[in-house]
Amino acid sequence: MPTYEFRCQNCGQVFEEHQRVEEHGRQVPACPQCKSSDKVEPQLSRFHAVTSRKA
Ligand SMILES: [Zn+2]
């Protein structure tokens, strides 16, 4: 199971979570620090992705 890195925009915490590939992108884990998943965004450290689709 791959490990993904996430960053919480709420408190700035960066953490890693094991996720299945099919889960990744559909759900985000809760931040271990502030327990919120609202502002958690995946960090694309393993992949070079084009994230230019910002509204
Ligand atoms: Zn947080």
Side-chain angles (χ1 to χ4, degrees):
M1 204 182 288
T3 304
Y4 294 99
E5 195 171 64
F6 295 89
R7 180 188 168 92
C8 176
Q9 303 290 343
N10 195 35
C11 68
Q13 178 78 15
V14 176
F15 58 98
E16 290 185 344
E17 280 284 327
H18 295 285
Q19 270 193 332
R20 290 195 215 158
V21 174
E22 60 264 32
E23 283 178 331
H24 188 64
R26 281 199 223 160
Q27 59 184 56
V28 292
C31 170
Q33 185 151 294
C34 67
K35 314 294 187 198
S36 170
S37 60
D38 294 345
K39 300 277 181 69
V40 173
E41 293 182 352
Q43 294 290 287
L44 303 166
S45 54
R46 270 165 203 264
F47 306 101
H48 290 285
V50 182
T51 51
S52 58
R53 54 189 178 110
K54 211 170 188 182

